Amino acid sequence: MTFLARKKEPLGKHLVNVANIAADIVKSQKTVFTQRHEIMYKIGLSHDIGKFTTYFQKYIRGEQQDREKQQHSLLSALFAYWSVSYTHLRAHETS
């Protein structure tokens, strides 16, 4: 099964595109915070991760009309937070 972000847009491709755009934006800014490129990439990569759920995929394909079940933002935000927190904590443990 091909997972979709939007009708006819593969989810994996969408996530990688957004991750690259987010990382490129922070590359152009000068700062002393060295992990921001990696953090922004992870945020971009996980911003719609909740769209991998069966509920969302059925919704985007028109197989389910329950808009409440298609909600993906909270799951995506929690995963992004975990991903960034884990990266940040691991960096401090190894330095």
Side-chain angles (χ1 to χ4, degrees):
M1 171 162 92
T2 300
F3 292 95
L4 300 175
R6 296 184 188 105
K7 300 228 186 248
K8 300 181 182 182
E9 182 182 13
L11 182 53
K13 182 178 179 181
H14 170 70
L15 294 175
V16 170
N17 286 342
V18 171
N20 286 327
I21 290 167
D24 287 345
I25 289 170
V26 297
K27 273 186 195 176
S28 65
Q29 300 169 352
K30 294 184 177 166
T31 184
V32 295
F33 184 55
T34 58
Q35 293 177 315
R36 69 191 172 125
H37 176 267
E38 181 181 356
I39 288 172
M40 288 305 293
Y41 185 85
K42 285 188 175 196
I43 290 171
L45 195 60
S46 60
H47 84 282
D48 272 346
I49 204 85
K51 289 184 176 182
F52 277 110
T53 63
T54 303
Y55 296 115
F56 183 85
Q57 291 302 306
K58 284 183 177 180
Y59 172 78
I60 200 71
R61 287 176 167 78
E63 299 169 9
Q64 169 179 289
Q65 298 302 317
D66 189 347
R67 288 188 59 81
E68 189 172 310
K69 287 186 177 179
Q70 66 88 18
Q71 295 300 318
H72 64 281
S73 56
L74 179 59
L75 179 59
S76 299
L78 291 171
F79 185 83
Y81 175 79
W82 173 83
S83 178
V84 170
S85 296
Y86 181 79
T87 299
H88 188 66
L89 290 173
R90 295 289 297 153
H92 286 297
E93 288 175 6
T94 58
S95 56

